[in-house]
Every structure is written in C-alpha cells, then in structure tokens.
Amino acid sequence: MKNRTQIIGHVSKEPKEVTTAEGKYFVVVNVGVNEKYKNKAGDTVANTTWYECYFNNKLTEVVMEYVFKGDKIGLAGTVRAGAYIDKDGVAQGKLML
C-alpha cells in the first residue's frame, strides 16, 4: 500500500521560505480543508483540517511565484503526522503533506 493523499483547500498564510543549517531550501504553505455535514440532529457542522505542506526543488520557485494567501489549491502527496508544543505549553498534533 502507498500513503498518498489528495486535498483541495485554501492557503491560510503567504508561503514561507526556509533554509536549514545544512543549506537545504524549501517552502512551507499552510492549507485548510473545509468539510460541512449535517449531524443526526439536523444541525450543520463545519470542520477544518489543517495541513502544513512542504515543497522543495523546482516547486519552490513555482509556489513562491503563483501561490498566495486565500488561493484555492489542490495538492497530492504523502501525509505524515507530527507534534509540537504550543505557546501555552500544551502538546498538539499536526498533519504534514
């Protein structure tokens, strides 16, 4: 089996350029995917799943030139789960594509 996911969502912030200590260069884009449905009580429920998307190599140039905050974007890639500590010291999870 292969871990492959396709998402369509909106870019929440301007793409961010990152260079590591080893000299590797990549771009990070945060994308929110909205989902709406009706629960058993008939109420509309809205959920947003957030993805932190990483681009490297030639895609960095394309993303920096054509992707902006608020754009609707479609992506495909491998999903990985990560964790971080938020500003209140609480452990949080994140999805990376």
Side-chain angles (χ1 to χ4, degrees), residues 47-82:
N47 288 326
T48 302
T49 303
W50 292 97
Y51 293 86
E52 193 172 72
C53 304
Y54 292 85
F55 300 90
N56 58 13
N57 301 326
K58 293 279 185 188
L59 284 176
T60 58
E61 298 168 17
V62 173
V63 170
M64 291 307 295
E65 186 172 347
Y66 296 106
V67 177
F68 302 98
K69 179 180 179 179
D71 286 351
K72 190 171 193 177
I73 187 171
L75 303 169
T78 302
V79 173
R80 301 202 191 292

Side-chain angles (χ1 to χ4, degrees), residues 8-10 31-37 45-51:
I8 299 174
H10 289 89
V31 178
V33 177
N34 296 319
E35 173 188 25
K36 288 184 182 178
Y37 63 92
V45 178
N47 288 326
T48 302
T49 303
W50 292 97
Y51 293 86

Side-chain angles (χ1 to χ4, degrees), residues 12-27:
S12 67
K13 300 185 229 181
E14 293 297 330
K16 179 179 154 189
E17 298 174 275
V18 178
T19 303
T20 66
E22 296 85 28
K24 293 182 181 179
Y25 172 75
F26 59 93
V27 173

